[in-house]
Amino acid sequence: MKIRSTPLIALGAVSLLALAGCAAETEVDTVGNGNDDQKNVTLAVFNGWDEGVAVSELWKAILDEKGYNVELEYAGVAPVYEGLSTGDYDLTMDIWLPDTHGEYLETYGDEITDLGAWNNESKLTIAVNADAPIDSLAELAENADLFGNQIVGIEAGAGLTAATEDRVIPSYGLEGMEFTTSSTAAMLTELKAATDAGENVVVTLWEPHWAYGSFPIKNLEDPEGTLESVESLHSFGSADFSEKFPQASGWIEGFEMDLETLYTLEEAMFVDYEGSDYAPIVAQWIEDNQEYVDGLTS
Protein backbone atom coordinates (compact mmCIF):
# COMPACT_ATOMS: atom_id res chain seq x y z
CA MET A 1 0.00 0.00 0.00
CA LYS A 2 2.78 2.38 0.82
CA ILE A 3 4.38 1.73 -2.55
CA ARG A 4 1.10 2.46 -4.34
CA SER A 5 0.21 5.51 -2.26
CA THR A 6 3.45 7.37 -2.89
CA PRO A 7 2.76 8.17 -6.57
CA LEU A 8 -0.85 9.06 -5.70
CA ILE A 9 0.36 11.54 -3.09
CA ALA A 10 2.89 12.91 -5.53
CA LEU A 11 0.22 13.19 -8.21
CA GLY A 12 -2.01 15.07 -5.79
CA ALA A 13 0.81 17.45 -4.96
CA VAL A 14 1.49 18.05 -8.63
CA SER A 15 -2.20 18.76 -9.25
CA LEU A 16 -2.31 21.26 -6.42
CA LEU A 17 0.77 22.97 -7.78
CA ALA A 18 -0.77 23.07 -11.24
CA LEU A 19 -3.96 24.60 -9.88
CA ALA A 20 -1.92 27.12 -7.92
CA GLY A 21 -0.01 27.93 -11.09
CA CYS A 22 -3.24 28.49 -13.02
CA ALA A 23 -4.53 30.76 -10.30
CA ALA A 24 -1.31 32.74 -10.38
CA GLU A 25 -1.50 33.06 -14.16
CA THR A 26 -5.08 34.33 -14.12
CA GLU A 27 -4.60 36.77 -11.26
CA VAL A 28 -4.91 40.34 -12.53
CA ASP A 29 -3.35 43.40 -10.90
CA THR A 30 -5.88 45.99 -9.83
CA VAL A 31 -5.45 49.66 -9.06
CA GLY A 32 -6.20 49.15 -5.36
CA ASN A 33 -7.17 51.64 -2.66
CA GLY A 34 -10.82 50.81 -3.19
CA ASN A 35 -10.57 50.80 -6.99
CA ASP A 36 -11.06 47.32 -8.48
CA ASP A 37 -10.24 48.37 -12.05
CA GLN A 38 -7.48 46.43 -13.74
CA LYS A 39 -4.23 48.31 -13.39
CA ASN A 40 -2.76 48.02 -16.90
CA VAL A 41 -4.39 50.00 -19.71
CA THR A 42 -3.30 50.02 -23.36
CA LEU A 43 -4.40 53.28 -24.98
CA ALA A 44 -4.13 53.31 -28.78
CA VAL A 45 -3.32 56.61 -30.52
CA PHE A 46 -3.67 57.37 -34.24
CA ASN A 47 -0.37 58.37 -35.83
CA GLY A 48 -0.42 62.07 -36.75
CA TRP A 49 -3.80 62.94 -35.21
CA ASP A 50 -2.66 65.62 -32.80
CA GLU A 51 -5.95 66.14 -30.97
CA GLY A 52 -5.86 62.42 -30.19
CA VAL A 53 -2.24 62.62 -29.07
CA ALA A 54 -3.12 65.53 -26.79
CA VAL A 55 -6.10 63.97 -25.02
CA SER A 56 -4.37 60.59 -24.80
CA GLU A 57 -1.33 62.10 -23.12
CA LEU A 58 -3.67 64.00 -20.80
CA TRP A 59 -5.58 60.87 -19.78
CA LYS A 60 -2.38 58.88 -19.39
CA ALA A 61 -1.21 61.47 -16.87
CA ILE A 62 -4.59 61.48 -15.10
CA LEU A 63 -4.90 57.71 -14.87
CA ASP A 64 -1.25 57.14 -13.95
CA GLU A 65 -1.72 59.56 -11.06
CA LYS A 66 -4.74 57.51 -9.96
CA GLY A 67 -2.66 54.33 -9.79
CA TYR A 68 -3.13 52.88 -13.27
CA ASN A 69 -0.29 51.89 -15.59
CA VAL A 70 -1.18 53.38 -18.99
CA GLU A 71 0.81 52.40 -22.07
CA LEU A 72 0.36 54.52 -25.21
CA GLU A 73 0.54 52.55 -28.47
CA TYR A 74 0.76 54.49 -31.75
CA ALA A 75 -0.69 52.93 -34.90
CA GLY A 76 -2.62 53.64 -38.07
CA VAL A 77 -6.39 53.99 -38.06
CA ALA A 78 -7.23 50.52 -39.37
CA PRO A 79 -4.87 48.68 -36.98
CA VAL A 80 -6.36 50.57 -34.02
CA TYR A 81 -9.87 49.41 -34.89
CA GLU A 82 -8.63 45.87 -35.42
CA GLY A 83 -6.74 45.93 -32.12
CA LEU A 84 -9.77 47.23 -30.21
CA SER A 85 -11.96 44.53 -31.72
CA THR A 86 -9.57 41.76 -30.63
CA GLY A 87 -8.84 43.23 -27.21
CA ASP A 88 -5.18 43.94 -27.99
CA TYR A 89 -5.98 47.60 -27.26
CA ASP A 90 -8.22 48.68 -24.40
CA LEU A 91 -9.05 52.24 -25.41
CA THR A 92 -8.73 54.94 -28.07
CA MET A 93 -9.92 58.54 -27.81
CA ASP A 94 -10.10 60.07 -31.31
CA ILE A 95 -12.97 58.40 -33.19
CA TRP A 96 -14.63 60.87 -35.60
CA LEU A 97 -18.36 60.32 -36.18
CA PRO A 98 -20.59 60.14 -38.09
CA ASP A 99 -18.64 60.50 -41.35
CA THR A 100 -14.87 60.23 -41.03
CA HIS A 101 -14.80 56.82 -39.34
CA GLY A 102 -18.28 55.70 -40.34
CA GLU A 103 -17.06 52.83 -42.50
CA TYR A 104 -14.88 51.48 -39.69
CA LEU A 105 -17.87 51.49 -37.35
CA GLU A 106 -19.86 49.51 -39.90
CA THR A 107 -17.14 46.87 -39.78
CA TYR A 108 -16.16 46.85 -36.12
CA GLY A 109 -19.05 48.56 -34.31
CA ASP A 110 -20.46 45.35 -32.83
CA GLU A 111 -17.09 44.40 -31.36
CA ILE A 112 -16.15 47.66 -29.61
CA THR A 113 -17.77 49.97 -27.05
CA ASP A 114 -18.74 53.62 -27.55
CA LEU A 115 -17.78 55.55 -24.40
CA GLY A 116 -19.34 58.78 -25.61
CA ALA A 117 -18.36 62.01 -27.34
CA TRP A 118 -15.99 64.44 -25.63
CA ASN A 119 -16.28 67.17 -28.27
CA ASN A 120 -19.11 68.04 -30.67
CA GLU A 121 -17.55 70.98 -32.54
CA SER A 122 -15.21 69.26 -35.00
CA LYS A 123 -15.25 69.38 -38.79
CA LEU A 124 -13.26 68.56 -41.90
CA THR A 125 -11.98 71.50 -43.93
CA ILE A 126 -10.12 72.68 -47.01
CA ALA A 127 -7.83 75.53 -45.95
CA VAL A 128 -5.69 78.11 -47.75
CA ASN A 129 -3.32 80.88 -46.70
CA ALA A 130 -5.20 83.78 -45.12
CA ASP A 131 -4.30 86.22 -47.91
CA ALA A 132 -5.25 83.84 -50.74
CA PRO A 133 -7.21 85.52 -53.57
CA ILE A 134 -10.21 83.21 -53.14
CA ASP A 135 -12.66 82.51 -50.31
CA SER A 136 -14.68 79.59 -51.64
CA LEU A 137 -14.12 76.13 -53.07
CA ALA A 138 -16.33 77.26 -55.95
CA GLU A 139 -13.52 79.62 -57.01
CA LEU A 140 -10.67 77.11 -56.78
CA ALA A 141 -10.89 75.44 -60.19
CA GLU A 142 -10.62 78.68 -62.15
CA ASN A 143 -7.72 79.81 -59.95
CA ALA A 144 -5.93 76.47 -59.70
CA ASP A 145 -2.79 77.82 -61.34
CA LEU A 146 -2.38 80.31 -58.48
CA PHE A 147 -1.99 77.30 -56.17
CA GLY A 148 0.41 75.37 -58.37
CA ASN A 149 -2.49 73.15 -59.52
CA GLN A 150 -2.05 71.16 -56.31
CA ILE A 151 -4.11 70.22 -53.27
CA VAL A 152 -1.90 68.97 -50.46
CA GLY A 153 -3.49 66.10 -48.56
CA ILE A 154 -2.66 63.84 -45.64
CA GLU A 155 -2.60 60.03 -45.35
CA ALA A 156 -4.09 58.06 -48.26
CA GLY A 157 -6.34 56.00 -45.98
CA ALA A 158 -7.76 58.90 -43.97
CA GLY A 159 -11.48 59.70 -43.98
CA LEU A 160 -10.63 63.28 -44.92
CA THR A 161 -8.77 62.00 -47.97
CA ALA A 162 -11.74 59.89 -49.03
CA ALA A 163 -14.12 62.83 -48.54
CA THR A 164 -11.88 65.05 -50.65
CA GLU A 165 -11.60 62.48 -53.44
CA ASP A 166 -15.24 61.37 -53.43
CA ARG A 167 -17.09 64.61 -52.70
CA VAL A 168 -14.99 67.78 -52.84
CA ILE A 169 -13.06 67.21 -56.07
CA PRO A 170 -15.99 66.06 -58.25
CA SER A 171 -18.43 68.60 -56.77
CA TYR A 172 -16.17 71.56 -57.60
CA GLY A 173 -14.60 70.30 -60.84
CA LEU A 174 -11.11 69.98 -59.37
CA GLU A 175 -10.09 66.89 -61.35
CA GLY A 176 -7.45 68.97 -63.15
CA MET A 177 -5.58 69.62 -59.89
CA GLU A 178 -3.06 67.17 -58.51
CA PHE A 179 -4.22 65.79 -55.16
CA THR A 180 -1.11 64.62 -53.31
CA THR A 181 -1.26 62.35 -50.26
CA SER A 182 1.55 61.30 -47.95
CA SER A 183 1.25 62.19 -44.26
CA THR A 184 -0.11 64.85 -41.94
CA ALA A 185 3.44 65.82 -41.02
CA ALA A 186 4.35 66.34 -44.69
CA MET A 187 1.22 68.43 -45.25
CA LEU A 188 2.08 70.65 -42.28
CA THR A 189 5.64 71.05 -43.57
CA GLU A 190 4.33 72.27 -46.93
CA LEU A 191 1.82 74.55 -45.21
CA LYS A 192 4.52 76.13 -43.08
CA ALA A 193 6.91 76.55 -45.99
CA ALA A 194 4.26 78.21 -48.16
CA THR A 195 2.96 80.60 -45.50
CA ASP A 196 6.50 81.51 -44.44
CA ALA A 197 7.31 82.33 -48.06
CA GLY A 198 4.09 84.25 -48.67
CA GLU A 199 2.94 81.73 -51.28
CA ASN A 200 -0.53 80.38 -51.99
CA VAL A 201 -1.29 76.88 -50.76
CA VAL A 202 -4.38 74.70 -50.39
CA VAL A 203 -4.46 71.81 -47.92
CA THR A 204 -6.90 69.34 -46.44
CA LEU A 205 -7.25 70.03 -42.72
CA TRP A 206 -9.66 69.70 -39.83
CA GLU A 207 -10.79 71.47 -36.72
CA PRO A 208 -9.65 71.15 -34.01
CA HIS A 209 -6.03 71.52 -35.08
CA TRP A 210 -3.24 73.64 -33.65
CA ALA A 211 -2.32 74.80 -37.17
CA TYR A 212 -5.13 77.37 -36.98
CA GLY A 213 -3.32 79.15 -34.18
CA SER A 214 0.14 78.81 -35.70
CA PHE A 215 -0.24 79.67 -39.39
CA PRO A 216 -2.10 82.48 -41.18
CA ILE A 217 -4.79 80.33 -42.81
CA LYS A 218 -8.53 80.36 -43.48
CA ASN A 219 -11.10 77.75 -44.45
CA LEU A 220 -12.61 77.89 -47.92
CA GLU A 221 -16.38 78.19 -47.96
CA ASP A 222 -18.16 75.02 -49.06
CA PRO A 223 -21.42 76.09 -50.77
CA GLU A 224 -22.14 72.53 -51.99
CA GLY A 225 -21.92 71.22 -48.43
CA THR A 226 -19.42 68.49 -49.26
CA LEU A 227 -17.80 68.76 -45.81
CA GLU A 228 -20.62 70.52 -43.99
CA SER A 229 -21.45 67.99 -41.29
CA VAL A 230 -20.08 68.75 -37.84
CA GLU A 231 -18.36 65.74 -36.35
CA SER A 232 -18.16 64.43 -32.80
CA LEU A 233 -14.96 63.09 -31.26
CA HIS A 234 -15.62 59.87 -29.36
CA SER A 235 -13.73 57.55 -27.06
CA PHE A 236 -14.13 53.85 -27.79
CA GLY A 237 -13.08 50.86 -25.74
CA SER A 238 -12.76 47.14 -26.32
CA ALA A 239 -15.94 45.08 -25.92
CA ASP A 240 -15.16 44.35 -22.26
CA PHE A 241 -13.68 47.74 -21.35
CA SER A 242 -16.44 48.70 -18.93
CA GLU A 243 -16.12 45.33 -17.19
CA LYS A 244 -12.35 45.57 -16.82
CA PHE A 245 -12.27 49.28 -15.98
CA PRO A 246 -15.66 50.31 -14.51
CA GLN A 247 -14.27 53.33 -12.66
CA ALA A 248 -12.21 54.64 -15.59
CA SER A 249 -15.11 53.92 -17.93
CA GLY A 250 -17.33 56.24 -15.91
CA TRP A 251 -14.74 59.00 -15.95
CA ILE A 252 -14.20 58.76 -19.71
CA GLU A 253 -17.92 58.59 -20.44
CA GLY A 254 -18.26 61.92 -18.63
CA PHE A 255 -15.24 63.53 -20.30
CA GLU A 256 -15.88 66.79 -22.16
CA MET A 257 -13.41 69.26 -23.66
CA ASP A 258 -14.34 72.28 -25.75
CA LEU A 259 -12.21 73.58 -28.61
CA GLU A 260 -10.80 76.50 -26.64
CA THR A 261 -9.49 74.20 -23.91
CA LEU A 262 -8.16 71.68 -26.42
CA TYR A 263 -6.32 74.40 -28.33
CA THR A 264 -4.49 75.51 -25.19
CA LEU A 265 -3.31 71.94 -24.63
CA GLU A 266 -2.27 71.50 -28.25
CA GLU A 267 -0.46 74.82 -28.27
CA ALA A 268 1.53 73.84 -25.18
CA MET A 269 2.45 70.45 -26.67
CA PHE A 270 2.97 71.17 -30.36
CA VAL A 271 3.60 74.89 -30.80
CA ASP A 272 5.45 76.13 -27.73
CA TYR A 273 7.39 72.87 -27.39
CA GLU A 274 9.48 71.15 -30.05
CA GLY A 275 10.31 67.88 -28.29
CA SER A 276 8.50 64.56 -28.07
CA ASP A 277 8.54 63.91 -24.31
CA TYR A 278 5.14 65.37 -23.55
CA ALA A 279 4.89 64.24 -19.92
CA PRO A 280 6.36 67.39 -18.33
CA ILE A 281 4.42 69.64 -20.72
CA VAL A 282 1.15 67.92 -19.86
CA ALA A 283 2.02 68.00 -16.15
CA GLN A 284 2.45 71.78 -16.34
CA TRP A 285 -0.79 72.17 -18.31
CA ILE A 286 -2.61 70.13 -15.66
CA GLU A 287 -1.19 72.37 -12.95
CA ASP A 288 -2.35 75.44 -14.87
CA ASN A 289 -5.82 73.91 -15.37
CA GLN A 290 -6.12 71.99 -12.10
CA GLU A 291 -9.77 72.77 -11.40
CA TYR A 292 -10.83 71.50 -14.84
CA VAL A 293 -8.70 68.37 -14.59
CA ASP A 294 -9.88 67.55 -11.06
CA GLY A 295 -13.42 67.75 -12.33
CA LEU A 296 -12.78 64.98 -14.88
CA THR A 297 -12.54 62.36 -12.12
CA SER A 298 -14.76 63.86 -9.44
Side-chain angles (χ1 to χ4, degrees), residues 14 34 48 52 60 64 110 113 151 166 171 185 203 235 243 246 295:
V14 170
K60 171 178 168 55
D64 282 351
D110 293 338
T113 303
I151 302 170
D166 298 340
S171 294
V203 300
S235 299
E243 298 173 13

Side-chain angles (χ1 to χ4, degrees), residues 22-161:
C22 289
E25 289 176 3
T26 57
E27 185 176 346
V28 176
D29 286 341
T30 59
V31 175
N33 295 322
N35 186 342
D36 294 329
D37 282 17
Q38 293 187 19
K39 184 180 182 71
N40 296 319
V41 183
T42 303
L43 202 172
V45 187
F46 297 143
N47 288 322
W49 295 54
D50 287 338
E51 72 284 347
V53 175
V55 297
S56 297
E57 288 280 358
L58 174 61
W59 275 95
K60 171 178 168 55
I62 291 171
L63 293 175
D64 282 351
E65 193 275 332
K66 293 290 185 181
Y68 296 81
N69 178 33
V70 179
E71 186 74 23
L72 299 184
E73 295 281 349
Y74 285 79
V77 175
V80 168
Y81 277 97
E82 178 66 24
L84 279 180
S85 72
T86 59
D88 291 329
Y89 298 137
D90 296 310
L91 175 68
T92 194
M93 305 192 73
D94 199 17
I95 304 295
W96 286 59
L97 295 176
D99 291 340
T100 304
H101 290 158
E103 291 186 5
Y104 289 103
L105 264 294
E106 290 179 9
T107 302
Y108 296 104
D110 293 338
E111 304 165 49
I112 58 181
T113 303
D114 187 357
L115 299 172
W118 54 268
N119 180 279
N120 294 299
E121 307 168 89
S122 304
K123 61 183 180 180
L124 305 178
T125 64
I126 304 295
V128 295
N129 46 296
D131 59 353
I134 64 172
D135 296 304
S136 171
L137 279 163
E139 302 172 89
L140 183 55
E142 63 184 25
N143 292 282
D145 58 323
L146 300 179
F147 296 87
N149 288 296
Q150 182 184 45
I151 302 170
V152 183
I154 56 171
E155 289 78 6
L160 173 56
T161 299

Side-chain angles (χ1 to χ4, degrees), residues 12 61 86 104 110 123 144 150 159 173 193 195 219 233 247 259 266 274:
T86 59
Y104 289 103
D110 293 338
K123 61 183 180 180
Q150 182 184 45
T195 53
N219 292 334
L233 305 185
Q247 179 66 80
L259 287 185
E266 288 191 336
E274 296 184 356

